[in-house]
Structure formats: C-alpha cells, structure tokens
C-alpha cells in the first residue's frame, strides 16, 4: 500500500484564500482532496516582517486542534478564524496537510492585508448638515440630500422590469447637478396622467429639492396594441441640462397644434414651460399600422435636429412599403413653426430604401431602444450613419452615411453620388452585412466591422472621390469604445498584433492611428466577457449599449470596463462557489496600466452574487447599466479621476450589510491625500482612495443612478433613511459635495381640548 501511495501525489490542494478580513481578524480557508487517505490540516500565518526574515519559521499555527479532512476522494473545505492581528498589516499564510504517510504537505503561500484603524474625519464647512453616521463619514465633504419627496402616495421610487428584461426607467442628472429626472411606478406630485413608468423632474432650491411630475396628458386609451411598448418608459432622452425631454405619446390628445390626430408621435418637451413640439408635424399617408413604433436615435449638439426611425410613410418621398422602419430628421423652425421633416434613409441613387433602416446598427432589425448609435449622428446633424436589413435578419445589411442632410438631393450619375459631393447624398460604406460601432463626433470617420474584419471609413475622402477604407484589424470581436474624435479606438481581437496578445483569446487593444506604436495591448480578457447579462450591463464587446459594461472619457485616455478575467493577479474566484467573478477595471494611457478598482483591498476572495440571464454569471462588482441607446449613467467622471460602481462584496469595514452598495474610487498617490479628502482607505494597488457613497448598513440593495460629469453630485436609489425627515421608503438621494440642508422643523401638533378654544372676546363695542 505504501509503495502504491508513493507513486501518486499524497494530497491535492486546490486553493487557499481568505474572507471576512477586518481590523484584527480574518477567516482563512483551503480546499483539499485527501485522495482516499485519512488526513488532517492546519494553517500557519506570520506577519510580513517575520516572513521576509525567515518565512514561516516563526508562524502561528491555527486552529489548536488540526482539522479532520476525512479520507474521501473529493475536495473538502478547511477553514479557521484567526484573531489578534495588527491593523493595517500584511500577513502571509498557508495550509499544511498531513496523513499517516506524509508529515507535511504545504500549500502555496497567500497573503492578506488587515484594514487600518479609522482616520480622523476632516472638518467641513457643511458639518452642520452631515448629521450622524453615515453622513459624517462621507468623502469630499459630501452630505445626503433627499431628492424625491416625502409624499409619494405611499409608493417607492422604483420601476418594474418589463418584457424586454430591463428596467423601464430613465434616470439622469443635469450637468450642473442641480436637477435630476427619474422614473417610478408610483404616481404622485399631481401628474397629468398615470403611466406604467411615470417620469419626474426634481430641481434643487435654496431650501431643498422640489419635484414636478412631467407625464404627458392623455385623454384616451393607448393607441397601440404592443404590450411591450405599453410597459416601457415613454421618455427617450433628455438634454444635458434637463431643459428639454423627448417623449412618445401613445394616446390622444395631440400635444402640439402641428401634430396630426390619431398618430403615435414623438415630442420635444420644454421643461421650463411644459410646451410640446411634435417631431411628426404632418399627417402620415397610412394610419392603419396596429403596431406603430417611433424611436429617437440621435440629436445634433444644439438639439435643433432630431433623427428618429418610424415604421410609417411620413413624407411624400418616403417608401410606400408597409411596416418598414424608415429614418427621418426633424429640423426645428427657429421662428416657432412646425419645423421640417426630411427623409434620411435613401439609397445612393436618391430613391427611398425599401428595407428596414436604423441609425448606427440595431440588435436585430426588429428590436427597439437598443441600437448601437454612438455618434452616428454628427454633432452638427449633417451626417447620419445608418444600417439597413430585413426585419427577420439576424445580421445587419449594408451600411451607409447620409451627408449634407440640410441640402436637396444631389445628382447621382450611375446611381451613385457625384463627386465631389456638394449636395445631399448617401454614400455606401459597405455593401456587405456590416456592424456599426462608433464614429467621430464631426462625422469625419466611421468605425465598423464586416464579419471579423474591423475597418475605418474616412467620409471626407469618400466625398472627394478618394479611397476611403482602411482595415484596422482581423479577428475582431467588437469595439469597446472610442474617443470623441475616434483617434483612440479600443477593440477586441483574438489575433496577435505586433507579437502582443494571446492567439485565440479575446485581446483588448488600443488603436491610435498615425502613432509610431499604433497598437497597444491593454489586457487579455475572458471568453465569457464576450457575452453579457443585458439587465446588469456586464458584457464588454457586444453591440448593445444596455449590455455594455464600459465607460470611456471623451479623449479616450481613460477606459473603465468589467471582466471575469483576473487581470492584475487578484484572486477573483467567488468565495462560495470558486467561480470567476466580474470585477471593475480602469485603464489609462498615461501609465498604460490596468488597475482593478473593485478588487477587495484585503486580498480576500470576493463574495459575489449569482445572476442568470441567458448565461450564469457571478458578479462581485459592476457599473450601473445603460437604460437607453442614447445615454448611460456616468460611472466615470469626465476627467477619469473618479469611478462610481456597485459592489456586492464588502470592500471596507464600514460596509456591514449583505446587499449591494455604491462605492467611489478617486485617484490619489498616498494615504495622506486620501485622509485629506475624507476617503476611508488608500489602496496602492488601484492607485487611489476608496469610500462608501451609500450607507453600508441597509440590507436591501442601493443602486447608482447617475452622477454629474465631475462627480460632485452622485445620485443613488436606496431604502435607507439618510436624513431625519425620511420616513423610510425607497428614495432618490443626491450625495453632494458641500451639500446638505437644515433639517425641517416638525409640523406643529393639532390642538387638543382647551387648547383649541380661541381667545376670550374683548369688551363690547360702544354703541
């Protein structure tokens, strides 16, 4: 028996890790397979100073009595809690296993870092409004401000998940942080109608926040039969200052004197006056469609031009083919008239396209609200990139760009635009089935793929009759993001480029055309990163913004993304199941480094949450999902120095609940810098500070809703009562730098008994 035993490994150790690391204690664990021989185990641990001097010679053994592993042939877990540790100290530990044949089999050393003692909270000018925990522990002199009203007719600020499996809501902060729009299933604040998902606009005033219901009025039942559309949020987009909103009207009456009767219209709402402007100002040719859809897909920067698709003939020159999506542009009349409607979906010959059309590229031609439209409408509105295809196609058709949208159709010799192009015309980018990814904001460059080949199209060269197509890469799996000028493009390819990357694996590259080193490997991701959970916004490379767990700064120098791969050496296996868990990463071009922002600072394995949406995923942390094709919550600040994310794992000692919390990461170079900002912890591995934005004590999930571009205002949705006047429902809060309001005085009690008797009457008047 002994000879047979010595011919194989004495035991198998699958992994060793820590959990529940605190200031002075931790739990250390290992998975061991005794391989059929009765075995027992213990752990030994030692601080870093002793480890560097003599490794485990002076180690402490735990537990006092070795752990009985049994004698089976499957992995069993060994676990022990260790205490008496020093705060803010690095410890090394390992498992040691023995059986009747072998005195000791030592596992690989692992390490953990205990948390430091809480630092001194810096004083703030608004300390009077930072009342009690957790307010006084907020970073950056933030204070909680209750945005939603106390009186909500007994309802919560929440929405239900509708049939397309994502929340029917649209939440957005004004760039200034002084206004916020949000959705809720509850109807309150004297709405003009009650919808499946009602919309509200809150404004910050000197004494607090006020809320206005901005549901459009309706005096009839829905004019549509499609149940999915009935359940969806009807607002499609808001301007950056929230002064305007674009909303669908599925019922009567028309909201503008220019709007035709009996048609599902799209309106621009002036949120200062409540006035509506119809984007379809003329009666369509055919009103027989029982499943009408009209979808906003892009705006010019000044919002004077709105591009949308509709499955109806809205202009005389549009196609008469029934039930196909056609593209139109509404140009506002500066004199206040009804504006002008222009057909965009034309062939290079100038004739209307008779297949479905969509700005950018859709996720299947039958989808809606989830197209890839990033910068497909140029900032001046004069160039629009669009796809075509049959409604039953699983792939897109040819890709086009409409140029000079404000000018009449130009000549088309041979069925193509005359060159140079000086009038309105359609240029064919690709005659094959193509996927649009992004474009430069000025419409000069278009990034797209055909099959697994990634290309760039130069619109200006094409207009001048010059060769316009450049191949970027092969083996392409998708574009992650790009700078506004498309001078920096992040894409995924399973090919090696310049001897970098791993052949056959999803390599994330940065492409900077014109530079000496045009291609740079950012990281090699996991194959499972290429498919995602739409509801939670986790996939990196898929062409659906709602499922796109990516944020990028305008200049492309900072890229935040999620991945199941361990990109920094952190053990990201879920502590319960051992499955790889999704974490949030940040890359910047200056350091050319990927940093894990959400990895547990103690080094312990994450406690992730399991999600099942098509594919099972374990999520330790994530960025809030996009809610429409034109806007995603701003998890990454404009300068790339702040990142807000949702974590299921407790990353700080103050996070004591088991729910999802909102965290802030802020770039910093030292613990002293973090201390001055009131941030709870400096994490050298991430190159920044970490702090809780939510309470960390509420058992139900707290969600990140949005932030102002500079991150000074962070809006969260939580059940926590974070100000004294909150009676305890789900509300929206602004966690605002230098914010806070005086606590309102309680209402005076009603009079009782003799207190209700008025003053005695005076003497009778002289007669």
């Amino acid at each position: 028996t002994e000879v047979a035993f010595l011919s194989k490994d004495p035991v198998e150790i699958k992994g060793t890790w820590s959990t529940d690391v605190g200031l002075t204690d931790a739990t250390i664990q290992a998975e061991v397979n005794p391989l059929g021989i009765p075995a027992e185990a213990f752990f030994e641990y030692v601080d870093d100073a002793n480890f560097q001097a003599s490794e485990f010679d002076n180690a402490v053994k735990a537990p006092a009595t070795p752990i009985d592993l049994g004698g089976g042939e499957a992995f069993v877990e060994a676990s022990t809690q260790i205490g008496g540790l020093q705060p803010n100290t690095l410890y090394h530990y390992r498992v040691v296993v023995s059986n009747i044949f072998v005195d000791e089999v030592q596992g690989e050393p692992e390490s953990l870092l205990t948390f430091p003692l809480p630092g001194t909270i810096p004083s703030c000018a608004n300390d009077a409004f930072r009342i009690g925990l957790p307010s006084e522990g907020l970073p950056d002199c933030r204070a909680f401000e209750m945005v939603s009203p106390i009186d909500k007719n007994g309802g919560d600020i929440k929405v239900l998940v509708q049939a397309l499996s994502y929340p029917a809501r649209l939440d957005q902060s004004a760039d200034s942080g002084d206004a916020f729009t949000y959705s809720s299933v509850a109807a309150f604040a004297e709405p003009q109608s009650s919808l499946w998902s009602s919309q509200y606009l809150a404004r910050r005033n000197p004494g607090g926040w006020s809320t206005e219901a901005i549901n459009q009025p309706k005096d009839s039942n829905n004019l549509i039969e499609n149940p999915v559309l009935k359940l969806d949020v009807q607002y499609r987009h808001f301007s950056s200052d929230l002064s305007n909103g674009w909303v669908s009207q599925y019922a009567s009456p028309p909201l503008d004197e220019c709007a035709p009767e009996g048609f599902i219209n799209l309106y621009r709402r002036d949120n200062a006056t409540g006035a509506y402007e119809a984007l379809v100002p003329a009666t369509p040719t055919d009103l027989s469609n029982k499943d009408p859809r009209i979808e906003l897909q892009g705006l010019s920067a000044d919002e004077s031009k709105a591009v949308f698709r509709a499955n109806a003939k809205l202009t005389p020159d549009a196609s008469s083919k029934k039930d196909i999506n056609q593209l139109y542009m509404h140009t506002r009349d500066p004199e206040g008239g009804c504006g002008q409607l222009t057909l965009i979906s034309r062939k290079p010959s100038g004739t209307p396209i008779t297949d479905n059309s969509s700005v950018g590229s859709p996720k299947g031609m039958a989808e809606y609200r989830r197209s890839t439209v990033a910068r497909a409408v140029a900032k001046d509105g004069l160039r629009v990139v669009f796809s075509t295809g049959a409604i039953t196609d699983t792939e897109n058709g040819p890709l086009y760009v409409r140029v000079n949208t404000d000018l009449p159709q130009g000549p088309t010799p041979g069925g193509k635009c005359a060159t140079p192009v000086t009038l309105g015309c359609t240029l064919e980018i690709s005659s094959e089935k193509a996927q649009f990814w992004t474009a430069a904001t000025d419409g000069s460059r278009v990034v797209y793929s055909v099959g697994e080949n990634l290309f760039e199209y130069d619109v200006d060269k094409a207009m001048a009759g010059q060769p316009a197509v450049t191949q970027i890469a092969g083996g392409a799996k998708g574009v992650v993001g790009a700078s506004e000028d498309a001078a920096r493009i992040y894409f995924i390819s399973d090919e090696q480029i310049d001897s970098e990357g791993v052949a056959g694996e999803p390599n994330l590259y940065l492409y900077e055309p014109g530079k000496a080193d045009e291609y740079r490997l950012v990281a090699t991701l996991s194959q499972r990163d290429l498919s995602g959970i739409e509801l939670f916004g986790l996939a990196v490379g898929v062409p659906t913004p709602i499922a796109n767990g990516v944020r990028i700064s305008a200049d492309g120098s900072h890229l935040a993304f999620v991945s199941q791969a361990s990109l920094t050496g952190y053990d990201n296996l879920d502590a319960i199941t051992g499955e790889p868990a999704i974490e949030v990463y940040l890359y910047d071009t200056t350091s050319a480094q990927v940093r894990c922002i959400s990895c547990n600072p103690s080094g312990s394995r994450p406690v992730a949450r399991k999600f099942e949406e098509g594919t099972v995923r374990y999520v330790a942390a994530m960025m809030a999902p996009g809610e429409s094709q034109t806007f995603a919550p701003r998890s990454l600040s404009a300068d790339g120095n702040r990142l807000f994310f949702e974590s299921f794992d407790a990353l700080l000692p103050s996070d004591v609940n088991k729910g999802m919390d909102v965290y802030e990461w802020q770039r910093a170079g030292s613990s002293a810098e973090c201390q001055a900002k009131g941030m709870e912890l400096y994490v050298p591995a991430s190159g920044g500070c970490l702090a809780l934005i939510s309470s960390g004590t509420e058992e139900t999930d707290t969600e990140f809703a949005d932030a102002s571009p500079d991150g000074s205002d962070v809006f969260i949705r939580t059940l926590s009562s974070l100000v004294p006047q909150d009676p305890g429902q789900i509300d929206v809060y602004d966690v605002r730098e230098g914010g806070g309001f005086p606590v309102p005085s309680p209402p005076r009690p009603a009079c009782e008994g003799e207190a209700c008797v008025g003053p005695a009457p005076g003497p009778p008047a002289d007669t």
Side-chain angles (χ1 to χ4, degrees):
T1 303
E2 184 173 350
V3 172
F5 174 78
L6 292 175
S7 68
K8 65 176 184 177
D9 293 332
V11 294
E12 184 178 356
I13 301 173
K14 188 175 184 179
T16 308
W17 66 94
S18 62
T19 59
D20 301 321
V21 177
L23 299 173
T24 60
D25 55 5
T27 299
I28 49 180
Q29 300 169 259
E31 270 192 302
V32 181
N33 186 343
L35 298 177
I37 307 296
E40 58 185 20
F42 63 87
F43 293 87
E44 49 188 14
Y45 62 95
V46 63
D47 62 52
D48 185 61
N50 279 295
F51 181 80
Q52 298 302 329
S54 58
E55 295 192 346
F56 286 97
D57 287 353
N58 297 313
V60 178
K61 295 183 178 180
T65 302
I67 303 164
D68 183 3
L69 301 176
E73 296 188 14
F75 281 100
V76 294
E77 187 175 296
S79 175
T80 189
Q81 187 172 11
I82 56 176
L85 308 178
Q86 293 298 311
N88 198 27
T89 301
L90 180 65
Y91 286 86
H92 302 269
Y93 62 96
R94 67 185 179 187
V95 66
V96 179
V97 184
S98 63
N99 58 31
I100 59 174
F101 298 110
V102 181
D103 288 339
E104 287 190 354
V105 177
Q106 298 160 347
E108 291 295 321
E110 300 292 344
S111 60
L112 64 87
L113 178 66
T114 54
F115 286 98
L117 294 169
T120 302
I121 298 173
S123 61
C124 298
N126 61 332
D127 275 343
F129 308 135
R130 289 158 48 89
I131 304 168
L133 293 174
S135 295
E136 64 184 24
L138 289 171
D140 305 312
C141 290
R142 296 182 186 272
F144 291 115
E145 297 180 356
M146 189 175 176
V147 174
S148 48
I150 292 175
D151 183 4
K152 298 180 287 293
N153 282 342
D156 290 312
I157 304 301
K158 66 178 182 179
V159 295
L160 303 180
V161 175
Q162 51 108 303
L164 291 180
S165 76
Y166 55 86
R169 69 185 178 207
L170 186 54
D171 299 343
Q172 183 178 331
S173 166
D175 283 356
S176 66
D178 289 335
F180 185 75
T181 184
Y182 58 94
S183 308
S184 178
V185 71
F188 54 88
E190 300 181 356
Q192 296 191 64
S193 61
S194 179
L195 307 174
W196 173 263
S197 187
S198 293
Q199 197 70 26
Y200 300 91
L201 179 61
R203 297 180 176 90
R204 191 176 190 270
N205 307 300
W209 287 80
S210 61
T211 288
E212 173 193 2
I214 57 173
N215 287 353
Q216 65 275 26
K218 52 183 285 188
D219 61 10
S220 73
N221 294 326
N222 285 328
L223 300 173
I224 58 173
E225 297 179 356
N226 188 296
V228 173
L229 298 184
K230 292 178 183 179
L231 302 183
D232 196 20
V233 61
Q234 293 185 19
Y235 271 87
R236 295 293 186 257
H237 185 80
F238 287 90
S239 56
S240 61
D241 61 359
L242 303 188
S243 60
N244 295 310
W246 282 261
V247 60
S248 293
Q249 171 72 320
Y250 295 158
S252 293
L255 305 178
D256 175 12
E257 62 182 12
C258 296
E261 288 276 358
F263 181 71
I264 306 303
N265 218 318
L266 186 65
Y267 295 86
R268 180 186 70 87
R269 184 185 193 270
D270 185 324
N271 289 332
T273 65
Y276 293 86
E277 175 189 24
L279 269 60
V280 181
T283 302
T285 302
D286 183 5
L287 292 176
S288 63
N289 189 353
K290 298 303 181 183
D291 184 20
R293 301 187 182 196
I294 180 168
E295 189 63 33
L296 181 72
Q297 293 194 300
L299 294 160
S300 59
D302 65 1
E303 301 173 355
S304 65
K305 295 179 173 63
V307 181
F308 61 93
R309 77 180 199 181
N311 54 349
K313 180 181 174 71
L314 303 183
T315 59
D317 55 352
S319 172
S320 298
K321 188 175 180 179
K322 286 183 176 293
D323 299 338
I324 61 167
N325 288 301
Q326 304 188 66
L327 288 179
Y328 302 91
M329 174 180 284
H330 177 266
T331 303
R332 189 181 304 162
D333 184 349
E335 303 299 323
C338 294
Q340 179 181 354
L341 202 59
T342 305
L343 178 68
I344 297 296
S345 50
R346 295 176 181 270
K347 297 178 181 179
S349 63
T351 59
I353 289 174
T354 55
D355 284 329
N356 282 277
S357 299
S358 174
V359 169
S361 285
K363 186 184 178 185
M365 281 294 172
E367 67 79 41
Y368 98 118
R369 200 159 79 86
R370 297 185 291 174
S371 296
T372 302
V373 300
R375 299 189 281 273
V377 177
K379 61 184 177 182
D380 59 8
L382 302 184
R383 295 177 180 181
V384 179
V385 183
F386 65 95
S387 295
T388 61
I391 200 165
T392 57
D393 281 357
T394 57
E395 297 178 280
N396 304 320
L399 186 66
Y400 301 97
V401 57
R402 181 72 181 173
V403 299
N404 300 331
T405 57
D406 61 335
L407 298 177
Q409 172 67 39
T412 56
K416 296 182 179 180
C417 298
T419 54
V421 178
T422 57
L423 293 172
C425 205
T426 300
L427 300 170
E428 184 180 72
I429 296 175
S430 172
S431 61
E432 301 178 81
K433 293 180 177 180
Q435 169 67 49
F436 167 82
W437 290 106
T438 189
T441 53
D442 63 0
S444 61
R445 300 160 72 186
V446 178
V447 181
Y448 68 100
S449 58
V450 176
E452 292 195 345
N453 293 312
L454 186 64
F455 298 96
E456 178 185 274
Y457 182 85
D458 189 312
V459 179
D460 294 326
K461 287 182 178 180
M463 291 177 66
Q466 302 172 12
V469 177
T470 301
Q471 182 166 348
I472 297 174
K477 303 302 180 183
V479 170
V480 172
S483 58
E484 289 188 347
D485 60 1
R488 286 177 171 142
I489 301 167
Y490 294 88
F491 68 93
I492 298 173
S493 171
D494 62 8
E495 295 183 356
Q496 285 186 307
I497 299 179
D498 296 339
S499 300
E500 292 192 305
V502 179
E505 295 298 323
N507 303 296
L508 174 59
Y509 293 101
L510 168 60
Y511 171 62
E512 296 180 274
K515 283 200 168 185
D517 52 342
E518 285 189 316
Y519 298 91
R520 182 187 299 176
L521 177 68
V522 175
T524 298
L525 306 178
S526 163
Q527 290 287 353
R528 288 190 285 185
D529 289 332
L530 300 184
S531 61
I533 305 173
E534 291 193 3
L535 181 56
F536 299 98
L538 303 177
V540 169
V542 297
T544 305
I546 287 180
N548 199 342
V550 173
R551 301 292 186 273
I552 187 169
S553 59
D555 64 358
S557 62
H558 301 90
L559 175 74
F561 62 98
V562 298
S563 177
Q564 291 183 91
S566 177
L567 303 181
T568 61
Y570 170 72
D571 183 356
N572 70 324
L573 301 182
D574 174 45
I576 307 300
T577 65
E579 293 290 327
I582 289 173
E583 300 281 4
V584 178
Y585 294 90
L586 182 64
Y587 173 82
D588 71 88
T589 55
T590 301
S591 69
Q593 282 187 304
V594 173
R595 299 181 185 272
C596 184
I597 302 303
S598 63
C599 291
N600 199 300
S602 70
S604 66
R605 279 187 178 180
V607 177
R609 183 176 292 182
K610 179 182 179 182
F611 290 110
E612 296 185 60
E613 179 83 9
T615 304
V616 174
R617 292 289 190 276
Y618 289 87
V619 184
M622 65 186 189
M623 289 178 285
E627 295 168 353
S628 79
Q629 56 196 348
T630 59
F631 181 79
R634 289 167 286 201
S635 300
L636 182 67
S637 63
D639 61 7
N641 290 329
R642 286 173 167 172
L643 183 59
F644 304 98
F645 62 94
E646 298 165 331
S647 179
F648 299 103
D649 191 23
L651 305 180
L652 294 169
S654 55
D655 186 349
V656 297
N657 60 14
K658 301 298 182 183
M660 181 174 73
D661 280 288
V662 179
Y663 281 83
E664 176 184 0
W665 172 89
Q666 191 171 153
R667 193 181 305 276
S670 68
S671 181
E673 189 177 345
C674 295
Q675 178 76 18
K677 297 174 182 290
M679 304 288 283
E680 192 167 342
L681 183 68
Y682 173 59
V683 186
S686 74
C689 319
L690 200 59
L692 265 173
I693 290 295
S694 53
S695 71
T697 59
E698 174 55 53
E699 292 184 1
T700 58
D701 290 346
T702 294
E703 299 175 315
F704 173 80
D706 194 22
S708 56
D710 65 359
S712 58
D713 292 85
V714 183
F715 294 88
I716 62 174
R717 192 181 297 102
T718 182
L719 183 59
S720 293
S721 296
L722 300 175
V723 293
Q725 66 268 28
D726 184 351
Q729 292 173 304
I730 297 176
D731 282 288
V732 173
Y733 278 85
D734 180 5
V735 194
R736 184 182 180 95
E737 282 189 18
F741 297 106
V743 177
S745 301
R748 297 181 63 181
C751 62
E752 295 181 5
E754 294 182 358
C756 296
V757 179
D766 293 337
T767 56

